[in-house]
Amino acid sequence: MNAIASGLKQAVRERPWVWGGTLTGFVVVYYLGLLATMLVRFGNIPNYVTVYNWPRNVWHILTSTPSLSDAVGIVSEEWLLEIGYMNYDYGNGISEWAMNVIPPKLFIILIVAALVASFVVLLMRPKKSACAAGPRTNAVAASVSGGAALVGLSSATLSWVVCCATPTWVVSLAMMGMSTSLALWLEPLGDVMTVGGFLLLVIPVCLLARRRTVPAGDGSATFSTQTA
Amino acid sequence: MCTDTYTAGIIVKELGLLDQQLAELAKTEKYKDATFNVRWADYSSGGPITNQMLANKLNIGVMGDYPLIVNGAKFQETESLRTLYVAGTGYNLKGSGNAVVVPVSSSIYKFEELRGKEISVPVGSAAWGMTLKALQDAGIPSSEITIKNQSPAVGAANIATSKIDAHADFCPWSELMEFRGTGRKIYDGSETTIPYLHGVVVRQELAREYPEVVIAFLKAVIDAGDWVREDPMRAAENLEKWTGVEKEVQYLYFSKGGHLTLEPTIKEKWVDALKFNHGVLAREQQVPPLDFNEWITDTYIRAAYKEKSLDYEKDLADIYDPEVENADLPLEIWHAKDGIKTYATIGEFLKAVAEFRTVAQKLNATYVYDKATGLKLFGKMAFYVQGKDGAMTAFLRKQDADAYAGTIGGKVIGFEEAVGMTTG
């Protein structure tokens, strides 16, 4: 464990700007990507933004919900930001679709971004020592990409009026054309996808980090065997 | 947006009916030092209302039958929170309010003709439940029809441009499409014979701690219904200003003989309908179980009736069946300048339309009643059967008109032809 932490620390310290830039870029690209998906799917440019007082709302929930486990569940659905499209063709307007920023989901995306950023800096050759053998880049990249995609999908917070306007990851499946019944049936799999996605992210990062601290020729062989 | 929620929402808000009740409450010992801060929120569907209620940001929610069930079930899924279904807001006994609409130029006239076609519907809504029931009744397996999930506004736009074969929706979308001349109903929710209703849910802790506030709210709901019944045209005109939905469509719902019966009692039939709807949701969307006995209570609405010296038992027993109640209602023309004009027979009604047209007088809308169901409909959307003696009968669906024409040896014609015939 120490070897992993030390390898990771070393790689991040060597390239803090690359790490920070990748982390920030991933989060920004992720949410812009969600917005772009809606934009392409529906062909409407967002026409409203609502910022919610998240801290106040969370405090209100925590102090007014008798059961802590209930409160935690409700807080996890609290919105911080809503960007969407309001349709004014009929009546005073209907929020047809929206992308929501929900802090607990944002936190998960930040962890994914941190892992992806770590992976990027770990892939780079250490500045102070020459590494003899490179890892199987394609395999680990596929694992990390797959993991990020899985967690990204299961953490998507889109809402659509046809799905009762409740933000959930399966709304993105429904919007992509999957039958809503099937999409809603898949909803409970979200947690499994998140855990699976994190495993695909964490394992390569740990192996790469450990490799940094292992003499050349030793760690690379171990790594190749495990990821092949 | 949904017309059935207005008497517990926009009307109560705009007329200050709750404020009046709360002012009365403030005169009582318990509330003499209380400050009431009422915050209203408007959502396009029930989902966000339930989320806001869970977060204790809303204490009272008003929504349609399917979202109500989701609300009750989601609360019962928690350890410490519950809602109570305390009253209805309005109903249609047969389920009218939901409907399937086709583009106005479509050659489809029957639900059965949708076999092999594409139909869009907001999944999870009452209209979706109606569509599933209609498919089941028509014996159309899901493999023979494509159901697309579509929001009301997008569905209406697709109907207007004939991009979809049919669209199913809840009130008042299908009537909006008819009024704007883009869509035509081929299936009315009344054919399912499952009542369509909306209701009020409150957080249990509010009801327990401040039952007088819940009762005050329900008294305001009763007052809102009275205000509509007192002058439906005034109500329709005001509702257009408040909601943006055309007054002529509002009138179809809120006038005498309209789609909506404004009455808040909780009838056994409603409970049965809600149980049926829960079954549909449980099958299709894995909605949690719902203990109806724990959820539904008539304590508060009974108290509201008592405080207003109204007879709850009488209203509870009274069920408005359009087929019976609307049979003798006069037909109506909404004259742009003179308001509502009534006519005893379809012949007189059509003749009046023709005469107004000859002098280029503007008519906002015309209303007739479907012979088969008693439902009120736009005159321009009805099918007319002309008997051998020249007498006219109006129908919502072409197949009903065809069948009736067959039995009396009559002829099925459209509105324009029917109006034309009166001028000879």
Side-chain angles (χ1 to χ4, degrees):
Chain A
M1 209 54 164
N2 283 343
I4 293 169
S6 133
L8 189 57
K9 205 184 290 177
Q10 185 195 347
V12 174
R13 272 187 185 159
E14 278 181 1
R15 294 181 175 89
W17 288 103
V18 174
W19 190 85
T22 308
L23 181 138
T24 312
F26 183 91
V27 175
V28 170
V29 166
Y30 174 75
Y31 282 105
L32 285 179
L34 288 182
L35 255 186
T37 308
M38 309 284 264
L39 214 143
V40 171
R41 169 69 175 79
F42 298 108
N44 320 116
I45 294 168
N47 59 1
Y48 78 94
V49 177
T50 309
V51 182
Y52 295 91
N53 190 337
W54 188 79
R56 192 190 66 186
N57 292 339
V58 167
W59 178 249
H60 181 65
I61 293 164
L62 289 172
T63 52
S64 66
T65 307
S67 156
L68 184 62
S69 66
D70 287 345
V72 169
I74 296 165
V75 164
S76 70
E77 299 292 326
E78 272 302 296
W79 301 6
L80 172 66
L81 180 72
E82 179 185 4
I83 303 173
Y85 175 73
M86 192 75 77
N87 184 319
Y88 293 101
D89 288 350
Y90 299 88
N92 290 339
I94 286 180
S95 171
E96 205 165 283
W97 58 261
M99 185 207 75
N100 314 287
V101 176
I102 301 176
K105 297 284 185 188
L106 172 63
F107 182 67
I108 289 173
I109 294 301
L110 274 170
I111 296 174
V112 173
L115 286 166
V116 171
S118 301
F119 170 73
V120 169
V121 292
L122 282 166
L123 267 189
M124 293 176 170
R125 188 176 292 275
K127 282 182 177 171
K128 288 178 185 166
S129 65
C131 199
R136 292 187 180 176
T137 312
N138 289 346
V140 286
S143 173
V144 168
S145 309
L150 276 177
V151 183
L153 182 63
S154 63
S155 303
T157 44
L158 303 174
S159 63
W160 190 18
V161 69
V162 300
C163 290
C164 280
T166 305
T168 161
W169 71 275
V170 294
V171 169
S172 44
L173 299 180
M175 284 195 299
M176 282 187 279
M178 181 182 279
S179 107
T180 307
S181 297
L182 179 60
L184 291 168
W185 183 77
L186 288 174
E187 194 172 12
L189 294 180
D191 291 342
V192 177
M193 283 171 61
T194 306
V195 172
F198 270 117
L199 285 176
L200 288 173
L201 276 163
V202 169
I203 292 170
V205 169
C206 288
L207 292 170
L208 282 173
R210 196 170 75 88
R211 181 176 167 273
R212 286 242 165 186
T213 58
V214 175
D218 187 2
S220 60
T222 309
F223 174 78
S224 299
T225 308
Q226 292 193 6
T227 57
Chain B
M1 179 80 194
C2 191
T3 42
D4 292 22
T5 62
Y6 293 174
T7 48
I10 195 79
I11 298 174
V12 174
K13 179 190 170 195
E14 295 293 336
L15 297 180
L17 299 175
L18 179 59
D19 308 280
Q20 289 167 23
Q21 294 296 336
L22 294 177
E24 287 300 312
L25 209 54
K27 293 175 187 167
T28 62
E29 183 60 26
K30 181 175 176 181
Y31 293 94
K32 69 177 187 329
D33 298 323
T35 307
F36 296 105
N37 286 314
V38 181
R39 186 177 68 84
W40 293 90
D42 185 23
Y43 293 94
S44 54
S45 63
I49 298 176
T50 294
N51 287 347
Q52 295 288 300
M53 289 182 77
L54 278 165
N56 200 15
K57 285 183 265 176
L58 288 176
N59 283 295
I60 300 174
V62 187
M63 53 191 108
D65 37 23
Y66 278 75
L68 278 171
I69 287 160
V70 174
N71 177 288
K74 276 187 100 167
F75 267 84
Q76 284 191 7
E77 202 180 25
T78 68
E79 274 177 26
S80 60
L81 303 171
R82 293 290 181 272
T83 51
L84 297 173
Y85 177 92
V86 293
T89 59
Y91 69 88
N92 183 282
L93 178 66
K94 302 281 176 66
S96 198
N98 296 310
V100 181
V101 169
V102 295
V104 74
S105 57
S106 170
S107 58
I108 296 172
Y109 287 91
K110 290 181 194 166
F111 189 82
E112 291 75 9
E113 289 169 7
L114 288 174
R115 214 179 273 269
K117 308 281 186 190
E118 275 191 340
I119 176 170
S120 62
V121 59
V123 170
S125 67
W128 171 71
M130 173 204 67
T131 306
L132 294 178
K133 174 82 165 47
L135 285 169
Q136 195 184 323
D137 292 349
I140 303 176
S142 53
S143 56
E144 288 186 25
I145 196 163
T146 308
I147 294 187
K148 293 183 83 171
N149 196 4
Q150 203 68 272
S151 71
V154 175
N158 284 342
I159 285 290
T161 51
S162 298
K163 283 185 185 163
I164 189 97
D165 297 313
H167 177 70
D169 225 317
F170 46 81
C171 60
W173 289 94
S174 48
E175 287 76 25
L176 257 179
M177 287 184 256
E178 285 193 324
F179 181 69
R180 294 184 183 188
T182 57
R184 169 169 47 80
K185 268 189 204 179
I186 57 159
Y187 184 91
D188 189 85
S190 59
E191 292 173 57
T192 61
T193 66
I194 308 286
Y196 179 49
L197 57 123
H198 283 57
V200 182
V201 278
V202 298
R203 275 176 65 107
Q204 192 178 46
E205 58 183 331
L206 174 83
R208 277 193 182 152
E209 209 170 336
Y210 306 109
E212 301 84 1
V213 172
V214 177
I215 294 164
F217 181 79
L218 296 182
K219 282 161 74 180
V221 173
I222 296 169
D223 289 343
D226 289 343
W227 178 79
V228 171
R229 276 187 294 268
E230 199 177 276
D231 187 346
M233 201 167 83
R234 174 192 65 187
E237 284 171 340
N238 276 291
L239 285 166
E240 181 184 71
K241 279 185 226 149
W242 299 334
T243 67
V245 175
E246 288 89 334
K247 58 184 181 298
E248 294 83 356
V249 177
Q250 305 279 7
Y251 191 79
L252 192 65
Y253 276 86
F254 294 109
S255 58
K256 189 165 173 57
H259 284 207
L260 198 53
T261 308
L262 298 174
E263 197 254 278
T265 64
I266 303 173
K267 301 179 198 300
E268 198 54 45
K269 251 182 187 297
W270 299 176
V271 179
D272 292 343
L274 289 168
K275 283 179 180 168
F276 174 84
N277 296 341
H278 181 262
V280 173
L281 284 172
R283 271 198 309 280
E284 299 287 335
Q285 289 195 334
Q286 299 179 332
V287 165
L290 176 59
D291 181 340
F292 283 81
N293 291 330
E294 188 194 318
W295 184 51
I296 296 177
T297 172
D298 60 4
T299 310
Y300 302 92
I301 188 64
R302 278 182 183 277
Y305 262 71
K306 196 175 173 192
E307 288 188 18
K308 288 186 75 66
S309 305
L310 296 170
D311 187 347
Y312 185 84
E313 293 302 333
K314 181 182 165 286
D315 276 4
L316 184 67
D318 186 23
I319 292 185
Y320 193 96
D321 184 346
E323 200 177 337
V324 179
E325 309 280 351
N326 294 356
D328 297 321
L329 289 182
L331 311 159
E332 293 165 299
I333 293 176
W334 190 335
H335 189 279
K337 193 160 65 75
D338 300 338
I340 297 291
K341 291 174 172 290
T342 57
Y343 303 88
T345 67
I346 294 184
E348 288 171 33
F349 160 82
L350 291 169
K351 195 167 169 231
V353 172
E355 282 170 4
F356 283 130
R357 283 182 173 183
T358 55
V359 288
Q361 298 224 13
K362 192 184 167 207
L363 304 180
N364 288 340
T366 57
Y367 305 95
V368 296
Y369 294 93
D370 175 30
K371 167 83 174 166
T373 60
L375 291 171
K376 195 167 199 163
L377 49 146
F378 288 120
K380 67 175 182 177
M381 299 311 298
F383 295 95
Y384 295 84
V385 176
Q386 187 184 35
K388 284 176 183 164
D389 58 352
M392 297 273 195
T393 312
F395 288 90
L396 165 70
R397 301 188 312 159
K398 189 167 183 297
Q399 62 262 43
D400 291 335
D402 286 337
Y404 183 69
T407 58
I408 64 160
K411 183 179 146 195
V412 179
I413 52 178
F415 181 63
E416 292 305 325
E417 199 181 342
V419 172
M421 278 181 169
T422 62
T423 55

